[in-house]
């Protein structure tokens, strides 16, 4: 990460502090204008010098606050009969972080208990009915009215100083602020009359210097007025003050001329141009002749090489023809062998088919013989079993007869 420049940081901090102090000063001036009707800034009663008629000796003790010595604003009265402004009572309350026994009040600053105060409606009505003029009358305000509506008038008074709403830092009276914001403020929105794009008024001069749609005089002072975006095309193709090359520059005419002097130059230097063109043509002709000589030599050498290559190619062709003939004979012999082999394969296939039929017939005969033998074996087995049973019966009969005779 790049290290920050201490000078830049100091400059930014100073700029922020100055802008903050300007805003604070503006708010203080505005509050001061709004509170010119009050004796002591935000707190206190009304001033006596804004009245059209001074208070009489009878009205003075009834309408003057005992704390701020101004005309009571929102008059109140305590249970002990003391009169004061409601805001003066709030302003002169003891702070909470200081114990009451350590606070000493003079007779003028001593404030009665807030719980015992009540609004003095009769005094308030008398104060509100007093006639006065605007505290900003020295600036030209001609308003006249009751003292009770003076504060409401200051909220909308055109002679109160206020800050520009576009934040340009200017502080003016309200009646001049609208004209400033519409016509003079550097932060107001304006449109370029050439390209119709929107900018802030302070950015417009910089844009005018580069606006592509703005009409300007030619850079070479040819008295033409054209758009800045068409300047490049004008300089390349139209400007009569631009220096261009002579059409005979390819023939070594190096005299620089302006576009407007081209016809005059061609008339004055016609003979010179013809001479330059003739010299260039002669040089080109000589170069062409040299190239032609070189080409003829190359063609002759190439012709000799082509003849040698032609003889070599003919020899190679004859050799290839002989090889082809030899390969043709071999091919015929191979074809005959192939045909003989195919015939042998046909005969072999026939013999194999006949042998297969004979084998199938022999197989059927053998199966028939096997079946006949199996039937004979079955008959013999049955006869053998019958003889065995007969022998067993005879043996049993003999044994029985012997037992009978012996018994």
């Amino acid at each position: 990460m790049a290290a920050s420049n201490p000078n830049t940081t100091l400059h930014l901090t100073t700029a922020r502090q100055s802008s903050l102090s300007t805003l604070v000063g503006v708010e203080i001036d505005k509050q001061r204008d709004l509170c010119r009707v009050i004796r002591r800034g935000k707190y206190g009663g009304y001033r006596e010098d804004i009245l059209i008629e001074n208070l009489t000796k009878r009205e003075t003790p009834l309408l003057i606050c005992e704390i701020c010595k101004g005309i009571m604003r929102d008059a109140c009265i305590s249970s002990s009969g003391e009169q004061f402004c409601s805001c003066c009572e709030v302003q002169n309350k003891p702070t909470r972080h200081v114990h009451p026994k350590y606070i000493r009040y003079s007779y003028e600053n001593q404030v009665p208990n807030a719980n015992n105060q009540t609004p003095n409606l009769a005094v308030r009505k008398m104060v509100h009915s007093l006639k006065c003029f605007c505290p900003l009358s020295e600036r030209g305000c001609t308003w006249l009215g009751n003292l009770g509506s003076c504060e409401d008038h200051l909220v909308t008074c055109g002679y109160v100083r206020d800050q520009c709403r576009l934040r340009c830092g200017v502080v003016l009276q309200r009646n001049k602020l609208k004209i400033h914001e519409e016509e003079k403020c550097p932060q107001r929105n304006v449109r370029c009359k050439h390209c119709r794009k929107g900018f802030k008024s302070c950015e417009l001069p910089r844009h005018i210097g580069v606006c592509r749609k703005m009409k300007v005089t030619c850079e070479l002072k040819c008295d033409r007025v054209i758009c800045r975006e068409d300047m490049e095309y004008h300089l390349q193709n139209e400007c009569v003050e631009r220096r261009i090359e002579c059409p005979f520059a390819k023939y070594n005419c190096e005299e620089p001329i302006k576009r407007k002097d081209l016809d005059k130059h061609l008339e004055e230097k016609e003979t010179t141009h013809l001479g330059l063109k003739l010299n260039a043509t002669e040089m080109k002709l000589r170069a062409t002749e040299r190239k032609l000589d070189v080409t003829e030599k190359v063609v002759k050498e190439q012709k000799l090489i082509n003849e040698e290559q032609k003889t070599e190619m003919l020899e190679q062709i004859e050799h290839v023809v002989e090889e082809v003939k030899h390969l043709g004979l071999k091919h015929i012999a191979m074809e005959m062998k192939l045909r003989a082999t195919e015939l042998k394969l046909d005969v072999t296939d026939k013999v194999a088919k006949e042998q297969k039929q004979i084998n199938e017939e022999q197989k059927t005969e053998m199966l028939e013989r096997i079946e006949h033998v199996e039937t004979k074996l079955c008959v013999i087995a049955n006869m053998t079993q019958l003889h065995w049973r007969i022998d067993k019966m005879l043996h049993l009969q003999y044994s029985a007869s012997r037992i009978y005779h012996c018994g």
Side-chain angles (χ1 to χ4, degrees):
M1 183 181 293
S4 59
N5 190 351
N7 296 330
T8 306
T9 306
L10 180 60
H11 176 70
L12 292 174
T13 305
T14 307
R16 289 172 185 168
Q17 290 177 354
S18 62
S19 61
L20 181 61
S21 61
T22 303
L23 291 175
V24 172
V26 169
E27 291 298 327
I28 291 173
D29 292 342
K30 183 178 178 181
Q31 188 67 26
R32 186 181 296 118
D33 287 340
L34 291 176
C35 296
R36 277 177 178 259
V37 71
I38 301 171
R39 182 178 177 85
R40 291 193 306 167
K42 186 176 180 181
Y43 299 97
Y46 298 111
R47 290 165 42 193
E48 298 179 22
D49 55 354
I50 64 173
L51 298 177
I52 297 176
E53 297 180 358
N54 294 328
L55 296 177
T56 62
K57 291 182 179 181
R58 182 181 176 183
E59 293 174 339
T60 299
L62 295 175
L63 304 181
I64 296 299
C65 174
E66 297 181 1
I67 297 176
C68 67
K69 305 304 180 183
I71 300 173
M72 281 185 286
R73 183 162 62 123
D74 298 332
C76 295
I77 186 169
S78 65
S79 57
S80 59
E82 296 171 336
Q83 297 186 114
F84 49 86
C85 306
S86 61
C87 56
C88 290
E89 190 275 332
V90 175
Q91 173 69 4
N92 285 274
K93 276 186 178 180
T95 55
R96 292 183 179 181
H97 61 277
V98 180
H99 197 273
K101 73 178 182 178
Y102 295 112
I103 300 176
R104 295 182 182 179
Y105 293 97
S106 64
Y107 179 79
E108 294 181 354
N109 292 334
Q110 194 168 4
V111 180
N113 188 0
N115 296 328
N116 296 328
Q117 68 178 22
T118 55
N120 194 338
L121 300 179
V123 175
R124 290 187 182 186
K125 187 174 181 180
M126 292 176 62
V127 171
H128 290 171
S129 63
L130 294 174
K131 299 294 181 180
C132 67
F133 51 83
C134 179
L136 303 177
S137 58
E138 68 273 10
R139 296 183 186 176
C141 183
T142 58
W143 179 85
L144 297 174
N146 296 329
L147 186 59
S149 60
C150 186
E151 291 185 58
D152 296 335
H153 162 70
L154 286 177
V155 175
T156 59
C157 180
Y159 292 88
V160 175
R161 290 179 296 177
D162 202 350
Q163 186 183 14
C164 176
R165 290 176 298 177
L166 302 179
R167 299 183 180 181
C168 69
V170 173
V171 180
L172 293 172
Q173 295 178 5
R174 286 175 180 166
N175 54 4
K176 299 178 181 179
L177 199 58
K178 185 176 181 181
I179 299 174
H180 164 76
E181 292 174 352
E182 293 178 354
E183 299 179 1
K184 298 180 181 180
C185 181
Q187 296 296 326
R188 72 186 189 277
N189 293 326
V190 295
R191 285 188 178 276
C192 175
K193 63 182 180 180
H194 305 290
C195 64
R196 307 305 298 167
K197 291 183 179 180
F199 299 93
K200 290 186 177 181
S201 179
C202 59
E203 298 174 353
L204 186 61
R206 183 175 59 184
H207 166 72
I208 291 294
V210 296
C211 180
R212 300 286 293 172
K213 298 293 183 180
M214 182 179 177
K215 291 188 176 182
V216 295
T217 56
C218 175
E219 296 178 359
L220 299 179
K221 300 179 181 180
C222 71
D223 298 332
R224 283 283 303 278
V225 179
I226 54 175
C227 290
R228 187 176 277 117
E229 64 182 356
D230 299 330
M231 181 62 71
E232 185 175 356
Y233 176 82
H234 167 72
L235 293 176
Q236 292 292 336
N237 302 289
E238 298 175 352
C239 183
V240 297
E241 295 293 334
R242 183 178 177 82
R243 293 188 178 275
I244 59 174
E245 289 184 349
C246 175
F248 291 89
K250 59 183 178 181
Y251 301 118
N252 296 326
C253 179
E254 299 177 354
E255 183 176 351
I257 54 173
K258 292 183 178 181
R259 185 176 276 114
K260 65 180 181 180
D261 300 330
L262 179 60
D263 296 336
K264 183 180 178 181
H265 170 75
L266 294 176
E267 291 177 0
E268 292 178 351
K269 302 292 183 178
E270 184 177 4
T271 306
T272 306
H273 289 162
L274 291 175
L276 292 173
K277 189 173 182 180
L278 182 61
N279 292 335
T281 305
E282 290 178 353
M283 293 176 65
K284 189 174 181 180
L285 181 61
R286 291 173 185 172
T288 305
E289 290 175 351
R290 287 195 296 270
K291 287 182 180 180
L292 184 60
D293 294 338
V294 173
T295 305
E296 288 177 353
K297 291 181 181 179
V298 172
V299 168
K300 288 179 181 180
E301 293 176 356
Q302 190 66 34
K303 188 175 181 181
L304 294 173
I305 294 170
N306 291 337
E307 289 178 355
E308 293 176 358
Q309 290 180 350
K310 183 178 179 180
T311 53
E312 290 178 359
M313 290 295 292
L314 291 173
E315 293 175 356
Q316 291 178 0
I317 289 170
E318 291 177 356
H319 179 69
V320 169
V321 168
E322 292 177 357
E323 289 183 353
V324 168
K325 288 180 180 180
H326 181 66
L327 290 173
L329 295 173
K330 286 185 177 180
H331 179 67
I332 293 169
M334 290 296 290
E335 285 182 351
M336 293 177 69
K337 286 183 180 180
L338 181 61
R339 289 177 183 175
T341 305
E342 289 177 351
L343 292 172
K344 287 181 180 179
L345 287 174
D346 293 338
V347 172
T348 305
D349 289 339
K350 290 180 180 180
V351 171
K353 288 180 180 179
E354 293 175 356
Q355 188 66 34
K356 187 176 181 181
Q357 291 178 357
I358 294 169
N359 290 336
E360 288 180 353
E361 292 175 356
Q362 290 178 354
K363 183 178 178 180
T364 55
E365 291 178 359
M366 289 297 292
L367 290 173
E368 291 176 355
R369 290 179 180 179
I370 289 168
E371 289 178 358
H372 182 67
V373 171
E374 286 179 350
T375 55
K376 285 183 177 181
L377 289 174
C378 288
V379 171
I380 292 169
N382 291 330
M383 292 295 292
T384 303
Q385 190 176 7
L386 181 62
H387 286 300
W388 180 75
R389 286 180 179 179
I390 292 170
D391 289 340
K392 189 175 182 180
M393 289 177 66
L394 291 174
H395 180 71
L396 290 173
Q397 189 177 4
Y398 175 75
S399 298
S401 65
R402 285 188 67 182
I403 291 169
Y404 177 75
H405 288 295
C406 287

